[in-house]
Amino acid sequence: MCEGAQIGVPGGRVRGRLAPSPTGALHLGNARTFLIAWLRVRSCGGTLVLRMEDLDHPKNKPGAAGEALEDLRWLGLDWDEGPDVGGACGPYVQTERRERYAAALERLRACGLAYPCVCSRRDVEAGQSAPHTEDGLYYPGTCRGRYDDYGAACRALPAGRLPAWRFRVPDGEVVRFDDGFRGAYGQEVSAESGDFVLARDPQGAGYMLAVVADDAAMGVTEVVRGDDLLPATPRQLLLYRALGLAPPAFLHVPLVVSEEGRRLAKRHGDTRLRALRESGVEAERVVGLLAWWCGWAAWGERLAPRDLLPRFDLGLLPRAPAVLTPQVMAYLGVRKPPLPTGAASVL
Ligand code: GLU
């Protein structure tokens, strides 16, 4: 465990967060997860933080950060701290917090838990023996112990390329935690993902390091998010431990999927909140549908998020993903894009 670590905000109250990424417009699936996260905090009088997770530059869409805030407000959600309202734990935009991630990386490096890696993504892809992890590439530790210091790793690369930093995952340890929705979960991180990337370069922190540093610094006590991130949580727990930070509780909730069981995509119909709003659908109709998917409303009810406070019950939330059925699409007036002539099906 590293020296000098601390948790950002002391005190026993629940602090939850909404953490949109401006990589595209928010759709019904994001909205359902954010509604659950909002209700969880608001139903117990806690504090809600909104943090914009905009580190993924190539995928960020111009204007999407502001639009995400507008879309969430349109739904009727609010937050107590965030980029537009301020707060004691700001800034609330990840690209404005880079020096904090660099400091966390330095703590890990000083403890011998981060090492420089010169492997390119292509090298790592080429080394995969099988489609390995649930959510990414397996790294066999090629550069672990290979370079004495960052300078030596830099010299091993052509000019202009910088080494990445990877986390030294303990061999053979099964990291376990009790998910507030899914129950007991364990993963042998060294076998599943191996030594994962912390930063693309000393200033280029990635999602894993940033989310841990931020949730700790912002005093987040409870993370409610989609269960696509369940397999990433053991990696994050290793970082909490290595940095001497107290982890939050985690609740991973099922996503909204297409009828074929896939993640929502444009080909399933335009379920972006913005598109629904522009086509004249009222927010109360959308929230009512989200609540119906969660088991808290009858079909066809129109509701504001605050109407759900007395009904909020995670015990009623189905274990299976919510499905974007033709009935749901018709209710919201969502049309599928036309199939190319002659195509039997497009997945
Ligand atoms: N920003 C991430 C996303 O939009 C969520 C990260 C998290 O909840 O930990 O997928």
Side-chain angles (χ1 to χ4, degrees), residues 17 19-21 51 53 207 211 215 223-225 228-229 236:
R17 44 74 154 183
S21 295
R51 180 175 67 238
E53 301 210 320
Y207 162 68
V211 80
D215 279 336
V223 168
V224 177
R225 60 188 178 188
D228 52 329
L229 286 168
Q236 293 172 17

Side-chain angles (χ1 to χ4, degrees), residues 26-302:
L26 297 184
H27 55 58
L28 284 178
N30 308 123
R32 181 177 182 269
T33 304
F34 287 136
L35 176 66
I36 298 169
W38 184 91
L39 284 166
R40 175 83 181 176
V41 172
R42 290 286 180 245
S43 64
C44 69
T47 302
L48 198 62
V49 173
L50 188 139
R51 180 175 67 238
M52 191 52 66
E53 301 210 320
D54 60 346
L55 288 178
D56 198 353
H57 276 306
K59 289 201 205 144
N60 286 347
K61 304 268 182 318
E67 289 183 2
L69 301 189
E70 276 172 31
D71 290 349
L72 292 170
R73 289 211 189 278
W74 173 73
L75 269 186
L77 304 184
D78 64 352
W79 42 94
D80 308 298
E81 299 173 25
D84 52 343
V85 291
C89 297
Y92 295 93
V93 176
Q94 285 193 321
T95 46
E96 295 170 24
R97 300 178 63 83
R98 289 188 196 281
E99 73 281 9
R100 291 164 171 86
Y101 313 140
L105 178 62
E106 175 52 27
R107 289 219 298 277
L108 295 173
R109 192 205 59 74
C111 299
L113 291 174
Y115 64 83
C117 168
V118 300
C119 300
S120 65
R121 190 178 168 89
R122 191 179 291 178
D123 296 335
V124 180
E125 275 169 0
Q128 302 295 295
S129 48
H132 199 92
T133 61
E134 280 181 75
D135 67 331
L137 294 174
Y138 170 74
Y139 184 69
T142 316
C143 288
R144 202 197 255 212
R146 195 167 170 195
Y147 299 102
D148 288 338
D149 57 31
Y150 192 73
C154 285
R155 287 190 292 280
L157 284 171
R161 261 194 67 201
L162 288 174
W165 286 92
R166 287 186 181 267
F167 183 71
R168 183 185 286 267
V169 171
D171 291 320
E173 178 184 344
V174 179
V175 179
R176 299 178 199 281
F177 73 103
D178 200 14
D179 187 88
F181 185 69
R182 296 279 300 254
Y185 183 82
Q187 187 197 90
E188 188 182 331
V189 180
S190 58
E192 191 62 38
S193 58
D195 292 350
F196 54 89
V197 172
L198 295 166
R200 286 179 307 281
D201 60 65
Q203 298 305 316
Y207 162 68
M208 292 294 165
L209 182 61
V211 80
V212 167
D214 285 347
D215 279 336
M218 294 178 181
V220 169
T221 61
E222 202 175 81
V223 168
V224 177
R225 60 188 178 188
D227 62 9
D228 52 329
L229 286 168
L230 183 66
T233 307
R235 271 170 276 168
Q236 293 172 17
L237 288 169
L238 287 175
L239 292 182
Y240 278 102
R241 187 173 75 192
L243 290 164
L245 300 168
F250 290 96
L251 287 93
H252 289 92
V253 297
L255 302 178
V256 178
V257 297
S258 70
E259 282 202 290
E260 306 85 35
R262 310 251 176 149
R263 267 164 176 271
L264 290 190
K266 285 203 185 108
R267 63 184 179 275
H268 303 125
D270 195 348
T271 68
R272 292 172 304 144
L273 299 183
R274 186 149 291 257
L276 295 173
R277 174 168 51 156
E278 282 165 6
S279 69
V281 178
E282 295 155 12
E284 288 74 17
R285 183 177 273 256
V286 174
V287 172
L289 168 72
L290 302 176
W292 175 74
W293 263 330
C294 293
W296 303 325
W299 174 259
E301 273 191 88
R302 292 168 190 226

